[in-house]
Amino acid sequence: MEVLFFGGSFNPPHLGHRHVIETISKFYPNDLLYICPNFVSPLKKTGKEFRANEIWELCLSEFESFLSEKVILWDEEIKKRNTSYTVDSLHLLQNLHPNSQISLVIGEDNLSSFDLWKSYREILILVKMVVVVRRETSFPNEVFIPDFFPKSKITVLANPVLPISSTEIRQVLNGNLVTEYLLPKTRELALKFLNAKDNGGPK
């Protein structure tokens, strides 16, 4: 059994993230998938619209149908108030599963900036594979892999392209979150959290 790690801001979690989870579950049905939301992302300079506990609740709502013994929502990073680094979480996963190989799941759009990640060379040594989920390049077209990636460490999946990002969904139009890519229950929860802030609730 292998262990796959899928981290991110999930600000908010949405259809695109569900697509990644569904894709990994399809290609790796016998392996463990850890979904790990963070609260402070090292490469994102702006703050989050949602607090840590809100992101956790939104993830529980949006990913509810996937969560199981093999698909685990992991709170290792979201419970921290300082910056989370993937390399640290991967080491912890290795300690939790000493007899398993660890792979890292990323979107195609993360490839070009991967060399900016903390200890990215160490990550490439630590993981069995970097599993790339297509976001921009439709199969069977080849995804561009930067030279700093060892080709033996890259697996690009043949998933359909679903070009949706949290940034796009977070666009505010007339004060309302663009929410058509969230499940109805998650959408209601997200709007509840945002409305509480607009009405003077906790920031």
Side-chain angles (χ1 to χ4, degrees), residues 17-159:
H17 298 128
R18 296 204 317 273
H19 175 71
V20 172
I21 297 167
E22 186 174 20
T23 297
I24 295 299
S25 298
K26 174 184 175 182
F27 280 87
Y28 300 91
N30 299 317
D31 298 323
L32 289 180
L33 172 62
Y34 277 76
I35 307 162
C36 189
N38 64 49
F39 187 60
V40 183
S41 178
L43 295 182
K44 295 185 178 178
K45 304 302 182 185
T46 58
K48 288 191 174 185
E49 280 71 18
F50 301 99
R51 293 178 294 166
N53 66 302
E54 293 172 344
I55 290 172
W56 183 256
E57 289 188 48
L58 291 169
C59 286
L60 285 173
S61 173
E62 190 73 2
F63 305 148
E64 181 179 11
S65 64
F66 295 108
L67 300 180
S68 67
E69 291 182 354
K70 290 188 175 297
V71 180
I72 300 155
L73 187 61
W74 194 31
D75 68 351
E76 175 59 28
E77 295 186 1
I78 196 71
K79 66 188 178 185
K80 297 178 179 179
R81 287 298 180 268
N82 56 332
T83 303
S84 298
Y85 295 102
T86 296
V87 65
D88 298 329
S89 298
L90 291 173
H91 276 296
L92 182 55
L93 264 189
Q94 189 67 80
N95 290 334
L96 291 174
H97 299 278
N99 299 318
S100 298
Q101 292 182 308
I102 309 295
S103 290
L104 172 65
V105 177
I106 65 173
E108 177 186 355
D109 48 325
N110 293 131
L111 283 170
S112 61
S113 62
F114 191 82
D115 59 338
L116 301 178
W117 292 27
K118 180 185 177 182
S119 305
Y120 81 94
R121 291 188 179 90
E122 184 180 348
I123 291 174
L124 292 175
I125 294 170
L126 179 64
V127 300
K128 175 190 176 184
M129 200 67 61
V130 176
V131 179
V132 180
V133 179
R134 291 170 183 265
R135 193 175 112 76
E136 301 161 352
T137 308
S138 298
F139 182 81
N141 296 322
E142 289 189 16
V143 169
F144 173 74
I145 307 297
D147 291 338
F148 54 79
F149 278 104
K151 298 302 185 284
S152 62
K153 288 275 189 172
I154 294 283
T155 294
V156 180
L157 301 183
N159 63 288

Side-chain angles (χ1 to χ4, degrees), residues 143-193:
V143 169
F144 173 74
I145 307 297
D147 291 338
F148 54 79
F149 278 104
K151 298 302 185 284
S152 62
K153 288 275 189 172
I154 294 283
T155 294
V156 180
L157 301 183
N159 63 288
V161 169
L162 196 63
I164 299 169
S165 74
S166 292
T167 301
E168 294 159 348
I169 291 174
R170 253 189 346 264
Q171 295 174 19
V172 176
L173 301 175
N174 299 320
N176 292 318
L177 184 71
V178 178
T179 56
E180 58 263 37
Y181 296 121
L182 281 64
L183 293 175
K185 179 181 175 182
T186 312
R187 179 170 61 246
E188 291 179 10
L189 199 56
L191 292 174
K192 172 186 172 183
F193 292 149

